[in-house]
Amino acid sequence: MKFAVSYSPPFHGVDPDTVVGYARHAEQCGFEAIYLPEHIVLHPGARLGTFELPPDLPYLDPLDCLSFIAAATSRILLGTAVLLLPYHHPVTLAKRLATVDVLSKGRMRLLTVGLGALPGEAAAVGVDYASRGRRADEAIDVLRLLWAGDERGVGFHGEFFDFDGLCSFPKPYRASTLPIHIGGSSRAAARRAALRGDGFYPGGMLTPDERLAQWEIAGRPQEYTRPAALDITAERVAELAAQGVTRLVVSSTSLDDLTAFASRFV
């Protein structure tokens, strides 16, 4: 089992010293990776299920923040959970992700993408909410195509993206592509993980039977990430490992809590 931490700017804060201190502490404790979430914009009345999101929540751009973290650390892997893929153009995103990977010497390796659940956020960036799943599928294909392409250029002709002869350099650090993990708590997300994902990171409040069904739909992925509570027991970690979970992600505003967790598991 691998262990990572998440940093949520609305919860942990946006002070740069706090961001760097958290990441460095996690690295010193031996955690494998640090994850950041994304919201591009919010608006009054935005809801996730029954929970209304305060419109002034300060979400940092995750890739810019991870680049900042990379400059202040040396080992910890960089992840998103989740990057709202349909709201990014894959041609520019391929460049941004490769840039972070190159400058961090190969640490942008836990990219986790999702669809987003706020229709107003989709509308704000000019994306049709109903078709965002198909758009995300094409975006994944475009990212991999651009990373794998050479100086002769590559072409793509889809429903949302259409181009010929494009060359995207630099490539990911010493690799022909970057892993793309799929986040989400729906069966559609599990199917996307099976068809296009290098890993699966389901969230949401699901029953054990629902989680098992999604893991089966996802094709029993080799990389299976789950959030976990800081007070998780060793017995529960062993149970999750037996179920195929390969990575647990924890979070706390207390560095002492992270130290105590690391002393038990990392």
Side-chain angles (χ1 to χ4, degrees):
M1 184 73 73
K2 293 168 281 191
F3 298 93
V5 300
S6 65
Y7 187 96
S8 177
F11 183 64
H12 294 91
V14 298
D15 176 73
D17 293 333
T18 301
V19 173
V20 166
Y22 190 93
R24 283 176 171 167
H25 187 78
E27 183 173 74
Q28 290 165 3
C29 285
F31 286 98
E32 177 204 25
I34 183 168
Y35 286 85
L36 267 85
E38 179 175 48
H39 275 295
I40 297 171
V41 291
L42 298 174
H43 57 83
R47 289 182 175 275
L48 291 175
T50 60
F51 178 71
E52 183 170 332
L53 292 170
D56 60 348
L57 291 178
Y59 281 92
L60 296 169
D61 180 278
L63 299 187
D64 289 344
C65 188
L66 289 171
S67 182
F68 182 74
I69 287 171
T73 56
S74 60
R75 179 196 59 79
I76 199 163
L77 298 183
L78 312 172
T80 58
V82 294
L83 187 82
L84 303 179
L85 184 57
Y87 308 155
H88 295 268
H89 197 292
V91 173
T92 55
L93 185 60
K95 173 73 75 174
R96 294 184 67 199
L97 288 164
T99 296
V100 177
D101 194 58
V102 167
L103 295 181
S104 66
K105 295 185 178 180
R107 290 190 281 146
M108 186 68 245
R109 297 302 166 93
L110 289 173
L111 169 69
T112 306
V113 301
L115 300 189
L118 300 178
E121 192 169 21
V125 293
V127 170
D128 172 53
Y129 186 76
S131 63
R132 72 196 192 288
R134 300 197 309 275
R135 187 181 183 95
D137 289 343
E138 280 195 13
I140 292 171
D141 294 343
V142 169
L143 288 172
R144 290 185 172 134
L145 182 69
L146 288 169
W147 289 328
D150 57 24
E151 65 278 5
R152 293 169 295 180
V154 294
F156 186 89
H157 307 286
E159 179 182 359
F160 303 96
F161 308 107
D162 190 281
F163 55 82
D164 277 305
L166 295 190
C167 302
S168 185
F169 287 86
K171 301 301 181 185
Y173 185 75
R174 296 178 179 175
S176 60
T177 191
L178 294 178
I180 301 176
H181 295 206
I182 306 299
S185 57
S186 68
R187 293 196 169 213
R191 288 192 294 271
R192 183 168 292 107
L195 293 172
R196 286 182 166 83
D198 297 298
F200 187 35
Y201 189 165
M205 301 296 291
L206 302 174
T207 67
D209 286 344
E210 288 171 331
R211 290 201 182 278
L212 178 59
Q214 289 198 359
W215 185 58
E216 296 286 354
I217 292 169
R220 295 174 174 259
Q222 291 185 345
E223 290 280 353
Y224 183 23
T225 304
R226 290 266 299 275
L230 283 168
D231 60 357
I232 192 170
T233 65
E235 292 75 17
R236 179 58 177 157
V237 171
E239 289 175 5
L240 292 171
Q243 294 170 15
V245 176
T246 57
R247 181 180 296 102
L248 293 176
V249 183
V250 298
S251 184
S252 176
T253 55
S254 167
L255 299 186
D256 289 340
D257 285 349
L258 295 183
T259 301
F261 181 92
S263 70
R264 295 168 57 212
F265 294 113
V266 178

